[in-house]
Amino acid sequence: MASSTTGDGVREAQTGNKSKKTKPQVDESDLLTVPDGWKEAAFTKDDNPRGLMEESSFATLFPKYREVYLKECWPLVEKALGDVHIKATLDLIEGSITVCTTKKTFDPYAIVRARDLIKLLARSVPFDQAVRILQDDMACDIIKIGTLVRNRERFVKRRQRLIGPKGSTLKALELLTNCYVMVQGNTVSALGPFNGLKEVRKVVMDTMRNIHPIYNIKTLMIKQELSKDPDLRLQSWERFLPTFRHKNLAKRKEPKKKSTKKAYTPFPPSQPESTVDKELATGEFFLRESVKKRKKLDLIKVKQAEALTKKQEERNKAFIPPKEKPLMKKTNKAPAEGKLDIEAIKEKVKKAKTKKLGAPPLKPAPPASSTTGKKKKRKG
């Protein structure tokens, strides 16, 4: 009986495994992709009913020129932060803004968003744009560009290049990344989704490294068009993206004095001769002092005479008359073979005169022999 029961148990187990439905295989790419229009559920008080255990606070300083604007929009700031149960204080004497949690605060990340809000307000971002940081799908990035370029004039030019003529480059960047970008002083404040902030940081850093922002804007435009096609989403886009090479056309300036390395020798250089050694070699060392003084005076006189002659030559240069250019230029005589035909020129002038007057052109005169013959006939 035992054997029969065991056999039946095995059979039942085998049949049970077969009866279970096989799970359909799911693609890993489908699990990794987020469906369109999906949003994470908002954090409510039910998720954290007891609130926070301790109080946390953040403070930031703001410049003097920002004081008037903060005074005007401060009631709106307090109202926006009051909805998240965060207390805000404006100290005009110290020039600082402080935010801190209260007993009613239930969202632990609300204080971090409040900290970002006061940072953006202090960096000249308008309140209408800065309030968006309190939303769940928004983030901010403050990029420091003041220390990236040493030369101040070059830094100002590259910062202006990022803004573009009448702010066109900055506007194009905002439309492509869905971010708000504010260039102020030595920082660039960006506000928007995480993917857009990543692209904004790349464009700003490349611009400060002397890469024109139009190249990155062109790649962003191509990426935006490619993302609309569902077939190309899982493929690599390297073949479509343009490749821009940095051409350094400016050649390196060669130094005026080129230093040439001398051949290595293990022996040290010979010691230079002293004045005593030079005098011993010439024999001046054994002369009297009076003779030495005479020689020195003679050398001085010779040098003075040379200097005087040079000065005299320079003075005499002013009295030397300059070479005058000849008034008439020498003309090369025409060759004897190519003589001008004066009679032909006269005939042309006569024809031109008759045309102007409107009279018929004169017939050429007959030869001398014929005219004389006619005259003789008339006389007879």
Side-chain angles (χ1 to χ4, degrees):
M1 288 292 287
S3 62
S4 64
T5 51
T6 53
D8 292 333
V10 171
R11 282 176 188 173
E12 283 173 6
Q14 286 173 357
T15 52
N17 288 333
K18 286 178 183 178
S19 63
K20 285 180 182 178
K21 291 180 180 179
T22 54
K23 290 181 180 179
Q25 291 181 353
V26 183
D27 235 358
E28 286 185 2
S29 60
D30 295 336
L31 294 170
L32 293 169
T33 53
V34 180
D36 295 332
W38 181 85
K39 282 187 179 181
E40 195 177 349
F43 194 85
T44 57
K45 198 171 185 179
D46 298 331
D47 297 323
N48 188 15
R50 294 181 182 180
L52 304 174
M53 295 290 289
E54 291 183 4
E55 183 185 321
S56 55
S57 63
F58 291 101
T60 186
L61 298 170
F62 61 86
K64 186 73 176 173
Y65 66 86
R66 219 42 201 150
E67 188 177 325
V68 178
Y69 181 79
L70 288 170
K71 268 187 193 177
E72 291 175 359
C73 71
W74 191 248
L76 298 169
V77 175
E78 283 183 333
K79 188 184 176 184
L81 293 173
D83 296 340
V84 201
H85 305 290
I86 285 172
K87 188 184 175 183
T89 53
L90 177 67
D91 193 349
L92 296 173
I93 297 162
E94 289 184 1
S96 64
I97 312 170
T98 313
V99 286
C100 60
T101 56
T102 59
K103 290 180 180 180
K104 291 182 181 179
T105 310
F106 60 88
D107 188 359
Y109 199 71
I111 188 67
V112 179
R113 290 199 184 109
R115 178 202 65 184
D116 293 340
L117 173 66
I118 60 172
K119 272 188 180 180
L120 292 168
L121 287 169
R123 291 182 185 276
S124 301
V125 178
F127 173 75
D128 299 337
Q129 295 291 339
V131 177
R132 292 167 59 202
I133 196 68
L134 299 174
Q135 298 172 14
D136 289 338
D137 58 343
M138 284 288 163
C140 76
D141 188 12
I142 294 162
I143 307 155
K144 292 179 181 178
I145 57 171
T147 56
L148 294 174
V149 184
R150 287 183 181 179
N151 192 356
R152 187 67 188 173
E153 290 178 5
R154 201 174 290 167
F155 166 74
V156 171
K157 281 182 183 177
R158 289 180 189 178
R159 186 179 63 183
Q160 187 59 38
R161 195 182 294 166
L162 180 65
I163 296 163
K166 296 180 182 178
S168 58
T169 310
L170 204 65
K171 190 69 182 174
L173 187 64
E174 286 177 356
L175 290 168
L176 289 166
T177 56
N178 297 323
C179 294
Y180 173 80
V181 185
M182 178 76 180
V183 181
Q184 180 71 21
N186 294 332
T187 56
V188 178
S189 305
L191 175 73
F194 290 101
N195 292 331
L197 291 174
K198 191 179 175 183
E199 296 293 340
V200 169
R201 178 172 271 275
K202 186 180 179 294
V203 173
V204 171
M205 297 299 279
D206 284 351
T207 307
M208 288 294 124
R209 291 183 192 126
N210 202 18
I211 298 167
H212 205 280
I214 197 69
Y215 298 139
N216 287 313
I217 285 166
K218 199 171 184 180
T219 53
L220 285 170
M221 287 169 73
I222 294 162
K223 281 179 181 178
Q224 197 176 41
E225 292 297 321
L226 290 169
S227 62
K228 291 175 184 177
D229 193 352
D231 298 331
L232 294 168
R233 275 188 179 180
L234 302 172
Q235 295 179 15
S236 65
W237 295 346
E238 287 181 3
R239 53 185 174 156
F240 301 109
L241 299 175
T243 52
F244 301 104
R245 291 179 182 177
H246 185 69
K247 293 179 181 179
N248 190 9
L249 298 174
K251 291 181 179 179
R252 183 178 170 273
K253 289 181 180 178
E254 293 181 355
K256 288 181 180 178
K257 293 179 180 179
K258 292 182 180 180
S259 59
T260 53
K261 288 185 177 180
K262 294 177 182 178
Y264 173 73
T265 52
F267 305 105
S270 58
Q271 197 171 359
E273 291 183 348
S274 63
T275 51
V276 177
D277 292 334
K278 287 175 183 177
E279 286 178 357
L280 286 167
T282 54
E284 290 179 9
F285 183 77
F286 304 103
L287 295 172
R288 293 176 187 175
E289 287 184 4
S290 59
V291 178
K292 286 181 182 178
K293 282 181 182 179
R294 275 182 207 167
K295 279 194 172 184
K296 281 182 182 179
L297 288 168
D298 292 338
L299 286 168
I300 290 163
K301 284 177 182 178
V302 169
K303 285 179 181 178
Q304 283 177 353
E306 286 176 359
L308 280 168
T309 51
K310 281 183 181 179
K311 278 186 180 180
Q312 197 65 34
E313 284 174 3
E314 286 176 1
R315 286 172 185 170
N316 291 335
K317 279 179 184 177
F319 301 104
I320 297 165
K323 289 181 180 179
E324 293 181 359
K325 291 180 181 178
L327 294 170
M328 295 294 288
K329 290 182 180 178
K330 291 180 180 179
T331 54
N332 295 325
K333 290 180 180 179
E337 294 175 0
K339 287 182 179 178
L340 294 170
D341 192 359
I342 296 161
E343 291 179 1
I345 292 162
K346 282 180 180 179
E347 284 180 5
K348 282 182 181 180
V349 171
K350 283 179 182 179
K351 284 178 183 179
K353 281 181 181 179
T354 51
K355 279 182 182 178
K356 282 182 182 178
L357 295 168
L362 294 166
K363 290 180 181 179
S369 61
S370 63
T371 53
T372 51
K374 283 179 182 179
K375 282 178 182 177
K376 282 178 182 178
K377 283 176 184 179
R378 280 177 187 175
K379 280 179 182 180

